[in-house]
Amino acid sequence: QVQLVESGGGLVQPGGSLRLSCATSRTIFRRYIMGWYRQAPGKQRELVAAITRGGVPNYADSVKGRFTISRDDAKNTVYLQMNGLEPEDTAVYYCNAAVSGVDYWGQGTQVTVSS
């Protein structure tokens, strides 16, 4: 069974930073595009950032310049560094592994930006 284990969510003040981590198996990590999605209450799940096996990142316009996605091949882990957090970033963040129409999801981690 494929597992994506997320960590790093929490409560942070506006302007603050958090780093999310997602660890998985070597088999998944080496074959799949890894990404982060988020879902706010009453809204659809949306792509935040993704990174290819070769390390090429892609970002939603709303997070460009504030968030950075990276991968550590030695640890089979993908990270999402979030700086300049805004209340609008409040959501459950999900790790995703995708290839050829097959998707796997983590359990989600809550990020709350509030003063």
Side-chain angles (χ1 to χ4, degrees):
Q1 186 174 355
V2 174
Q3 284 192 314
L4 302 175
V5 181
E6 302 149 340
S7 61
L11 172 65
V12 64
Q13 292 186 344
S17 298
L18 283 174
R19 188 176 80 156
L20 306 182
S21 301
C22 173
T24 188
S25 68
R26 175 188 174 97
T27 299
I28 293 297
F29 196 75
R30 298 301 173 95
R31 291 182 58 204
Y32 285 65
I33 295 172
M34 301 299 297
W36 290 96
Y37 286 69
R38 66 186 180 187
Q39 188 167 18
K43 295 187 177 181
Q44 290 188 332
R45 191 173 297 190
E46 62 176 0
L47 175 67
V48 176
I51 189 165
T52 68
R53 290 168 289 179
V56 178
N58 180 45
Y59 298 97
D61 287 343
S62 59
V63 306
K64 282 181 180 177
R66 299 188 298 124
F67 291 10
T68 302
I69 189 169
S70 62
R71 56 189 294 151
D72 186 333
D73 290 348
K75 296 182 178 180
N76 301 322
T77 299
V78 62
Y79 302 98
L80 185 67
Q81 178 66 43
M82 305 185 292
N83 299 329
L85 282 161
E86 303 168 352
E88 293 73 23
D89 296 315
T90 295
V92 178
Y93 284 70
Y94 295 91
C95 181
N96 171 266
V99 68
S100 301
V102 177
D103 284 85
Y104 296 104
W105 296 92
Q107 79 281 2
T109 185
Q110 177 70 46
V111 172
T112 302
V113 185
S114 175
S115 56

